[in-house]
Amino acid sequence: MMRTRPLKVALLGCGVVGSEVARIMATHADDLAARIGAPVELAGVAVRRPSKVREGIDPALITTDATALVKRGDIDVVIEVIGGIEPARTLITTAFEHGAGVVSANKALLAEDGSALHAAAARHGRDLYYEAAVAGAIPLVRPLRESLAGDKVNRVLGIVNGTTNFILDKMDTSGAGYSEALDEATALGYAEADPTADVEGFDAAAKAAILAGIAFHTRVKIGEVHREGITEVTAADIASARRMGCTVKLLAICERAADGRSVTARVHPAMIPLSHPLASVREAYNAVFVEAEAAGQLMFYGPGAGGSPTASAVLGDLVAVCRNIIGATTGPGESAYTRLPVSPMGDVVTRYHISLDVADKPGVLAQVATVFAEQDVSIDTVRQQVRQDGSGEASLVVVTHRAPDAALSGTVEALRKLDTVRGVASIMRVEGE
């Protein structure tokens, strides 16, 4: 039997995502009520600019006082889509204190202070759901913390930022340079006016921290995630990858160490073979590859951003939280029992693709090989091509076997000191093999 008293929802933020959440709540009200077992009612919308016209939203619901809204004693669920650290953190904890469950899309806050938010939710017996914080419409958080709760996840490898994937895809398919591809992404609305969070890897690093924490049942903060962006990726890097049968992607990689005693979390561009499932992820799409002990290899694919996809994830969480309220229960909270340390990047075992500009004369290859041997880094393949421009130089491309990242970094520094090495044209890790 359906409960007649509606569950009241406070919406914090009414931008691209928030306005879409409000629209779906109105247009799908009957379906949502049937799925939840009670009607849901939008009881207030907190915004910064109240004068802006918001189609489909009763102006009487608009307020600039978000604190007063979440302190109302009749609010059952607070949806937070304003982003940033403050005032979001204070508003969420205030919501818990006043008896409301919370649905958030705030990846930056969860990556920075997720454990404290989980503790606040547990202390007040409330839910904290955040499917929309990681990969838009792609169901990923819930499968990791619920569907795979009985399994052991060893690796999560994914493309979790649509802007950077669009840029790298355009560089690969059209031969465009980074700046040209970024301009196209901006014109199409895939990149913000200030794209720093995306192209420098901050957005992906926050998502990696959240994913690693859930997958490995430990606490990982964004400051513990190694981060590199795509601003230094060149058309030459893309061409080199193509010659190797690879493509370049910005990857978020979370791994459990072979001995099970630590984890790593990193974000950086990498070459992956065209045969890998992630290589075919095009344009602004996201995909995450999960490797679990019993389930094997799983791949989650779909739109990772945008108003409608993100709102879909928010509404899915809203349904779950409302069902829990009706059932007088809560969903899964933080699982951090393993307390595994996060290893620094230098300890991570990786492969490198290194492109060198060298003097075209006998003995150069031997000198380069000696440097690798002294750093205890094994070479997989070498390709040398003499330039036909009369410069007396050649291009030397070395692909290594797997070795600690610190050893590979030391190798690059030693190579720079050779008189016969004119410059290091590019350095990129190789993944997916």
Side-chain angles (χ1 to χ4, degrees):
M1 183 175 179
M2 182 176 290
R3 162 176 154 168
T4 57
R5 185 178 74 80
L7 293 163
K8 295 192 175 183
V9 178
L11 178 62
L12 309 183
C14 198
V16 173
V17 176
S19 59
E20 189 66 7
V21 168
R23 184 191 70 80
I24 295 173
M25 285 184 65
T27 58
H28 295 181
D30 291 342
D31 287 334
L32 289 172
R35 294 166 191 172
I36 292 168
V40 287
E41 174 186 304
L42 189 59
V45 183
V47 299
R48 286 184 297 176
R49 295 186 296 275
S51 60
K52 181 180 178 181
V53 176
R54 294 172 172 85
E55 187 176 346
I57 298 178
D58 183 352
L61 297 178
I62 301 297
T63 178
T64 57
D65 193 343
T67 301
L69 178 60
V70 300
K71 283 184 175 181
R72 279 174 47 176
D74 62 337
I75 298 297
D76 297 291
V77 184
V78 170
I79 297 176
E80 183 272 308
V81 288
I82 56 177
I85 305 300
E86 287 292 357
R89 174 167 48 200
T90 299
L91 290 170
I92 288 173
T93 55
T94 301
F96 292 142
E97 292 166 1
H98 286 77
V102 172
V103 173
S104 176
N106 195 332
K107 53 188 168 286
L109 177 58
L110 288 159
E112 177 63 33
D113 215 16
S115 60
L117 295 180
H118 275 293
R123 189 162 54 249
H124 295 284
R126 301 301 167 192
D127 273 323
L128 173 62
Y129 276 60
Y130 45 90
E131 185 68 68
V134 175
I138 304 172
L140 189 57
V141 171
R142 198 166 300 155
L144 280 174
R145 73 175 186 174
E146 295 183 35
S147 303
L148 294 173
D151 206 340
K152 181 181 180 182
V153 176
N154 292 317
R155 194 169 194 243
V156 179
L157 172 75
I159 298 165
V160 295
N161 182 272
T163 301
T164 52
N165 199 58
F166 180 89
I167 292 170
L168 292 173
D169 183 50
K170 287 303 174 185
M171 291 176 70
D172 186 29
T173 57
S174 70
Y178 167 78
S179 296
E180 184 181 352
L182 173 59
D183 288 343
E184 184 175 354
T186 304
L188 292 172
Y190 292 129
E192 302 286 344
D194 179 2
T196 302
D198 294 322
V199 300
E200 294 292 356
F202 290 101
D203 174 85
K207 295 171 181 177
I210 295 169
L211 289 174
I214 298 170
F216 307 133
H217 303 277
T218 194
R219 289 174 178 168
V220 179
K221 287 193 172 185
I222 189 170
E224 297 174 300
V225 179
H226 175 82
R227 177 191 55 79
E228 298 172 30
I230 66 166
T231 56
E232 300 301 318
V233 177
T234 66
D237 294 327
I238 302 292
S240 291
R242 194 177 300 116
R243 284 192 291 270
M244 288 178 58
C246 295
T247 189
V248 177
K249 299 291 185 182
L250 182 74
L251 298 179
I253 306 170
C254 311
E255 294 178 302
R256 188 191 301 268
D259 62 7
R261 296 179 180 176
S262 64
V263 299
T264 60
R266 50 195 166 104
V267 169
H268 55 72
M271 296 180 179
I272 57 172
L274 294 176
S275 58
H276 194 281
L278 291 178
S280 62
V281 179
R282 305 288 304 280
E283 303 249 324
Y285 277 76
N286 284 191
V288 177
F289 203 69
V290 177
E291 298 176 10
E293 201 165 87
Q297 297 179 331
L298 308 169
M299 184 165 163
F300 301 82
Y301 170 84
S308 293
T310 305
S312 171
V314 169
L315 268 295
D317 280 350
L318 175 64
V319 169
V321 172
C322 288
R323 285 173 175 171
N324 289 343
I325 292 171
I326 292 173
T329 186
T330 56
E334 182 186 34
S335 175
Y337 71 92
T338 62
R339 295 184 177 87
L340 296 173
V342 181
S343 296
M345 187 64 193
D347 293 345
V348 176
V349 176
T350 62
R351 297 180 65 204
Y352 265 28
H353 171 282
I354 305 171
S355 180
L356 304 171
D357 297 325
V358 300
D360 178 24
K361 63 181 183 180
V364 173
L365 182 56
Q367 288 182 337
V368 170
T370 297
V371 169
F372 279 88
E374 289 173 347
Q375 298 291 328
D376 200 26
V377 176
S378 178
I379 294 175
D380 183 11
T381 63
V382 177
R383 185 178 72 250
Q384 184 171 352
Q385 183 176 359
V386 177
R387 295 181 180 171
Q388 304 300 317
D389 56 4
S391 64
E393 294 185 358
S395 296
L396 184 65
V397 176
V398 179
V399 180
T400 72
H401 284 290
R402 291 169 65 83
D405 199 80
L408 289 162
S409 298
T411 301
V412 172
E413 291 306 309
L415 289 170
R416 294 183 194 275
K417 296 176 182 178
L418 291 178
D419 292 338
T420 51
V421 173
R422 305 294 190 239
V424 179
S426 69
I427 309 165
M428 192 168 294
R429 296 176 183 86
V430 182
E431 297 286 345
E433 294 182 321

